[in-house]
Amino acid sequence: VQTVPRIVHFIHGLADQPHAFSYSDHLAVRLASRAIHDATLNLHYHHEPTGPFWHKTKPMLRLHKVELPTSIFNRPLRHHAHRADVLRLRVLLEHGGLYLDLDVLVLRDFAPIFDAAAKTGFAIAREGDAQHGGDHGLCNAVLVAVPNSSFASRWLASYSSFGSSALDPWNGHSVAKPLRLAHAHPASVVVLDYDAFFWPDWDEEPLAQLLLERTDPLAVGTDGRGRFALPLGHHVAEPFVLSQWSPAYLSAVASSLNCILSRHVVPPLARGVARNCSCARLGAEARG
């Protein structure tokens, strides 16, 4: 039985122009560094990130510059998200390990997931709660693999039809296709429940609960023991708070997410900003 290497892979800078590294990007790397014990953290990029949070993050990472993947099987990859979809599979085939989108916050070590993936070669989780009509497929924002896994190889080969099939052009190959492959080749993959990595889903109500409200989200839908990570859903969450998220906001505002993160990371406080001490009472209030 192969093992999953303790390597964490991130991808950034595959758009046509460079982008700044955000505070949430920084926290994603920082939390992974603390939670995935004894792991090497790699950033695969074409354009090196910019900005003050990049300079804080860079020492935590091993940098791997890549050619911009603008096509696969002679089919164009025009959007940076599709370029990252392809690159993550290539990286996992070559190296194995854990791939994380930069809008995923790790809460605890992935050792049980690594062990499960070692038995089949690959692990992935559902996106959405089937019981509430939200089962969208298998999401590629968090992937665990041994090197040269058969599931990753089949998945990458499926891009020979990219852009020419009846699949949704946005997520057909990144969400719907792996679900089809898992049904066809169940022995090659471990499929985890959605709340392992993907609660809340990409809709506004649970994201607002996580980002704005003072409830205990770990008590919603699960007992918390099966949850390894939380997704921020950048494209949906920006209107709430992420565009203004900062160390001062995390320290001072007792939203659900900020309280969760306060248990895992102590952010540098902005000058003159006091830490909010109500997070310790949040769980008791939610249960009461």
Side-chain angles (χ1 to χ4, degrees):
V1 177
Q2 294 190 76
T3 60
V4 175
R6 295 191 73 80
I7 306 171
V8 181
H9 304 282
F10 300 98
I11 291 174
H12 195 278
L14 298 190
D16 293 331
Q17 300 296 326
H19 289 277
F21 219 67
S22 69
Y23 179 56
S24 57
D25 294 336
H26 168 75
L27 273 185
V29 174
R30 188 173 174 185
L31 286 168
S33 176
R34 290 182 176 228
I36 312 298
H37 303 302
D38 301 319
T40 299
L41 276 62
N42 293 333
L43 181 77
H44 307 269
Y45 70 99
H46 181 73
H47 300 292
E48 184 172 337
T50 60
F53 288 113
W54 170 239
H55 296 298
K56 293 178 182 293
T57 311
K58 188 174 180 179
M60 294 185 254
L61 296 163
R62 291 187 180 181
L63 304 185
H64 300 272
K65 187 169 183 176
V66 300
E67 293 298 319
L68 205 61
T70 56
S71 67
I72 185 169
F73 299 111
N74 295 318
R75 300 184 178 279
L77 298 169
R78 295 186 177 90
H79 197 283
H80 64 86
H82 292 146
R83 297 168 183 174
D85 291 341
V86 169
L87 180 58
R88 73 193 66 185
L89 292 176
R90 289 174 172 168
V91 165
L92 288 176
L93 277 167
E94 181 176 357
H95 303 286
L98 166 64
Y99 168 80
L100 293 170
D101 273 0
L102 280 165
D103 62 355
V104 174
L105 302 181
V106 175
L107 300 179
R108 61 192 180 97
D109 192 59
F110 271 56
I113 309 297
F114 284 18
D115 292 342
K119 297 176 182 178
T120 63
F122 205 93
I124 190 171
R126 295 186 180 277
E127 181 185 76
D129 182 3
Q131 294 183 352
H132 296 89
D135 191 359
H136 313 302
L138 305 182
C139 184
N140 70 349
V142 182
L143 305 172
V144 181
V146 301
N148 299 308
S149 77
S150 60
F151 190 83
S153 181
R154 291 188 181 99
W155 192 354
L156 186 62
S158 77
Y159 275 82
S160 61
S161 65
F162 182 75
S164 65
S165 71
L167 293 174
D168 185 309
W170 176 249
N171 65 5
H173 278 76
S174 59
V175 177
K177 179 61 75 172
L179 180 61
R180 295 184 181 186
L181 291 172
H183 287 159
H185 307 280
S188 67
V189 60
V190 172
V191 176
L192 304 169
D193 289 338
Y194 81 101
D195 57 357
F197 312 140
F198 301 123
W199 188 94
D201 201 353
W202 316 123
D203 56 77
E204 291 188 359
E205 183 176 351
L207 275 172
Q209 179 185 13
L210 186 66
L211 294 168
L212 299 177
E213 299 176 11
R214 294 186 68 250
T215 59
D216 187 352
L218 291 184
V220 178
T222 179
D223 59 10
R225 289 178 295 180
R227 184 164 293 146
F228 289 82
L230 290 171
L232 294 181
H234 274 165
H235 62 290
V236 180
E238 285 291 333
F240 291 115
V241 72
L242 287 189
S243 61
Q244 303 299 320
W245 216 25
S246 67
Y249 182 89
L250 189 147
S251 300
V253 178
S255 70
S256 299
L257 179 59
N258 291 348
C259 287
I260 291 169
L261 294 180
S262 294
R263 304 168 194 164
H264 296 272
V265 59
V266 179
L269 294 177
R271 181 174 297 177
V273 175
R275 180 176 300 281
N276 188 299
C277 296
S278 64
C279 285
R281 301 192 301 272
L282 185 148
E285 290 176 1
R287 288 188 295 272

